[in-house]
Amino acid sequence: QVQLVESGGGLVQAGGSLRLSCAASISIFSINNMGWYRQAPGKLRELVATISNSGSTNSADSVNGRFTISRDSAKNTVYLQMNTLKPEDTAVYYCKALIRGWNGPTEYWGQGTQVTVSS
């Protein structure tokens, strides 16, 4: 079992910045892939950015150039630096961990943190 605890959400004006943190209960090198997803009211949950245990990253076109995913292995924490925020970035942001075990992949999700961007 993996616990993920997110923090760093809040209310910010358009053009501002926030940094989200996701602390894992195990070494992030034991996790094949970690990522940030978001879900706005009335919309499906969507991928924001991911980082593999080798360090390769991937992000959605809508956040390219504005959001950066990174990690601190010593703290077992993954971050999402969000710059130049827009009102359409308003959503609950979730951290996900994917572990590929002998019996198949298992996903773990955090509880979510609210990000609200005012215009």
Side-chain angles (χ1 to χ4, degrees):
Q1 193 76 6
V2 179
Q3 280 77 47
L4 302 172
V5 179
E6 300 118 330
S7 61
L11 173 64
V12 64
Q13 288 188 332
S17 298
L18 283 174
R19 188 177 79 159
L20 305 183
S21 300
C22 173
S25 60
I26 65 171
S27 168
I28 60 175
F29 289 125
S30 299
I31 301 171
N32 295 98
N33 189 284
M34 293 189 72
W36 288 97
Y37 293 72
R38 67 186 182 186
Q39 187 166 17
K43 294 188 177 181
L44 297 175
R45 191 171 296 188
E46 63 177 4
L47 179 147
V48 177
T50 63
I51 185 166
S52 71
N53 59 3
S54 66
S56 61
T57 62
N58 179 50
S59 58
D61 290 343
S62 59
V63 306
N64 272 340
R66 299 189 299 123
F67 292 9
T68 303
I69 189 169
S70 63
R71 65 185 181 185
D72 184 336
S73 57
K75 297 181 179 179
N76 294 327
T77 298
V78 171
Y79 303 98
L80 185 68
Q81 178 66 44
M82 305 186 293
N83 298 327
T84 319
L85 282 159
K86 303 175 181 180
E88 52 263 45
D89 295 318
T90 295
V92 179
Y93 284 70
Y94 296 92
C95 178
K96 187 186 88 170
L98 175 69
I99 298 177
R100 297 188 180 94
W102 62 271
N103 58 347
T106 303
E107 295 182 350
Y108 301 90
W109 291 88
Q111 80 285 356
T113 185
Q114 176 71 46
V115 171
T116 303
V117 184
S118 63
S119 57

